[in-house]
Amino acid sequence: MAAPGSPASGRLGETLLIALNIHGLHSHRDAGEKVRLKVRPPEDEVYQLVVPTGVATSPFTVADSELRVDGTPVAAVTELRGDTAVSGYLRAGGRAATIHPFAGGDTDPQAAQSAYSRLLADLAITLPPGNTLADLDEVTVTASSYTDEKAALADLVTLRTAMFGLDMTARIGLLSSMVRSESALADLADRVAPFTLFLDADNHTEVDVDSTDSPDAARVLAAARGCGHDTSFTYTVGLEPLDVMRDRLLPLAQYTTVWPSLYILQSPDPTEPADHIAEPADRLDFFLQARTMLERIFAPTSLVPEPWRCYRGLWYREYAGEPLPGPWI
């Protein structure tokens, strides 16, 4: 599936997973929905992906626990289920959790704290044998329901309070551009830290912080670093030409301490935009080129991808020609 000399030509399984992420599944009983599947390429590990179904142009199908390309088996499918919404789930082999925020702007803090305590207690049931919530390294919050910075800050403080009650010292991460002012970042250092800000680099509008200028995303990350926080960002690869992506992400890389979530823009379904930069027949080559460019952008840093962080990612077992360690889910 990869041309000779391409970045992934030395590992067919790597290219296979990228292509599956790009194209999704041709047909499935949940056509039009997204599915979560675990795939094992030949002589490889198991990886988890979330892909759209009912994509008429996709060569991928699943039958008899096999992933097939134009009818030919290419990998084992060890699990396949609908990507239903859940309040939280474990990642990184049980060392990290991702949760959805409980609070809106006017939520009673006591009720929110109790809800977080119950959610974390429920996650504890699914931890690997012998592990407790105290063994979690990080708890990452997705922030689609926050209406403003004040609400996000209050909810993160509530989450930290709930975690203290469960003897948890894990780092809290926030996937959002909602918290961005220097005063809020300083407040997080006082009341929530340890903390990681995952800035939304798809948000192309400039944002205000407590200064006379309107800084870009790099300055927000720099301000977060200045407050002692870890920093990262999320970005959807495929929305912009490669040179635009390079110019956007180069300034962010120097202020990034955690490998970013670099998402593949998948083939359109009812919930995804259809504005791919590349034509359908050229998308695999586009993403392989993007992969190489991103490796060059981050070459001056010591960061390498953590495959478990991104279910629509560009790296699985190798990065810049070197093997990647697990965990992968």
Side-chain angles (χ1 to χ4, degrees):
M1 299 183 70
S6 69
S9 61
R11 195 166 191 89
L12 178 60
E14 190 93 347
T15 311
L16 173 71
L17 295 169
I18 294 171
L20 176 58
N21 248 320
I22 294 168
H23 298 294
L25 293 176
H26 178 82
S27 61
H28 186 260
R29 62 180 180 273
D30 298 317
E33 303 295 330
K34 287 197 172 184
V35 293
R36 191 173 294 257
L37 70 161
K38 293 181 179 179
V39 178
R40 186 196 296 272
E43 300 179 0
D44 209 336
E45 300 291 333
V46 174
Y47 305 95
Q48 182 162 280
L49 294 83
V50 177
V51 300
T53 63
V55 182
T57 56
S58 173
F60 291 99
T61 57
V62 174
D64 299 326
S65 299
E66 294 177 332
L67 179 68
R68 301 179 180 182
V69 175
D70 295 329
T72 301
V74 292
V77 176
T78 63
E79 184 178 317
L80 177 63
R81 56 188 172 86
D83 186 35
T84 54
V86 294
S87 299
Y89 54 93
L90 295 175
R91 308 174 77 175
R95 303 294 302 185
T98 296
I99 64 174
H100 299 299
F102 176 77
D106 300 321
T107 304
D108 173 29
Q110 200 66 37
Q113 181 180 333
S114 297
Y116 277 132
S117 296
R118 290 193 300 271
L119 170 57
L120 293 168
D122 287 343
L123 286 178
I125 298 172
T126 62
L127 285 167
N131 283 24
T132 69
L133 289 172
D135 295 312
L136 284 176
D137 295 323
E138 62 182 80
V139 176
T140 301
V141 181
T142 64
S144 58
S145 67
Y146 292 143
T147 56
D148 54 40
E149 185 178 74
K150 181 180 178 181
L153 191 60
D155 194 52
L156 292 170
V157 171
T158 300
L159 172 59
R160 176 58 77 191
T161 302
M163 290 170 63
F164 279 148
L166 296 168
D167 295 324
M168 296 177 64
T169 59
R171 183 174 301 275
I172 292 177
L174 177 67
L175 291 168
S176 174
S177 290
M178 189 62 71
V179 175
R180 56 210 182 196
S181 72
E182 291 183 354
S183 60
L185 291 168
D187 201 7
L188 285 168
D190 290 337
R191 306 169 68 193
V192 175
F195 176 77
T196 304
L197 176 65
F198 291 86
L199 200 67
D200 178 10
D202 289 334
N203 184 349
H204 299 164
T205 58
E206 293 193 337
V207 296
D208 292 327
V209 297
D210 300 340
S211 69
T212 56
D213 299 319
S214 181
D216 58 14
R219 284 188 57 193
V220 176
L221 292 181
R225 290 276 308 267
C227 290
H229 302 307
D230 275 320
T231 53
S232 192
F233 61 89
T234 63
Y235 176 79
T236 304
V237 181
L239 284 172
E240 300 177 310
L242 293 178
D243 57 340
V244 176
M245 178 189 76
R246 179 196 60 217
D247 293 344
R248 184 178 302 284
L249 301 189
L250 263 173
L252 305 188
Q254 62 181 314
Y255 299 114
T256 299
T257 65
V258 176
W259 182 265
S261 290
L262 300 162
Y263 299 105
I264 290 174
L265 180 62
Q266 296 173 324
S267 296
D269 74 335
T271 64
E272 292 285 349
D275 46 357
H276 278 267
I277 288 301
E279 293 297 322
D282 301 327
R283 284 178 189 163
L284 181 57
D285 285 341
F286 172 88
F287 285 106
L288 293 176
Q289 292 176 46
R291 181 173 137 129
T292 298
M293 180 175 286
L294 289 161
E295 291 173 353
R296 291 171 179 164
I297 288 172
F298 283 92
T301 76
S302 60
L303 302 177
V304 296
E306 298 172 279
W308 61 267
R309 288 191 181 274
C310 184
Y311 294 147
R312 290 159 48 189
L314 283 161
W315 295 271
Y316 291 90
R317 283 303 297 272
E318 63 178 46
Y319 172 75
E322 297 295 328
L324 282 174
W328 294 278
I329 294 177

